[in-house]
Amino acid sequence: QVQLVESGGGLVQPGGSLRLSCAASGIAFSLYPMDWYRQAPGKERELVAAISSSTDTNYADSVKGRFTISRDDAEYTVYLQMNSLKPEDTAVYYCHVIRYGINYWGQGTQVTVSS
């Protein structure tokens, strides 16, 4: 059974930083691309960042240069380092993986950027 557990969200002032973590289990972690999505109130869920099994990365234009996705295959964990946070980054952030054509999501972690 695939499980994804996010942590690291919270309240931060504009310009601040947070590091999200997603611990995976039930999956041969190193073989799979991993993604971070977010969903703000009243908006659709959107892809924020993705990392392949070979650590190639890509980012939404809105976060390029501010967010960094990384992975530790030994720890079965994917990270999202978020710097220079803006109020528009406020959302629930979800970890995601596709395994055998099935989408798996974590429970989400709330990030609120506000003064």
Side-chain angles (χ1 to χ4, degrees):
Q1 181 180 359
V2 178
Q3 287 191 320
L4 303 172
V5 180
E6 302 98 335
S7 61
L11 173 64
V12 63
Q13 292 187 343
S17 297
L18 282 174
R19 188 193 196 202
L20 306 184
S21 300
C22 171
S25 60
I27 190 172
F29 183 80
S30 64
L31 300 180
Y32 290 89
M34 299 294 298
D35 312 310
W36 284 98
Y37 281 73
R38 68 186 180 187
Q39 187 166 21
K43 295 188 176 181
E44 293 188 356
R45 194 170 295 190
E46 63 173 353
L47 178 64
V48 175
I51 186 165
S52 72
S53 57
S54 58
T55 68
D56 294 328
T57 59
N58 65 74
Y59 299 92
D61 287 344
S62 59
V63 307
K64 279 181 183 176
R66 301 188 298 121
F67 289 13
T68 302
I69 188 171
S70 61
R71 63 190 298 156
D72 184 337
D73 289 345
E75 296 294 327
Y76 279 47
T77 300
V78 60
Y79 302 98
L80 186 67
Q81 177 67 44
M82 306 186 295
N83 298 328
S84 303
L85 282 160
K86 304 175 181 180
E88 51 263 44
D89 295 318
T90 295
V92 179
Y93 284 71
Y94 297 92
C95 186
H96 170 258
V97 68
I98 301 175
R99 179 175 177 263
Y100 299 146
I102 299 173
N103 288 281
Y104 293 93
W105 300 91
Q107 82 286 355
T109 186
Q110 176 70 47
V111 172
T112 302
V113 185
S114 174
S115 55

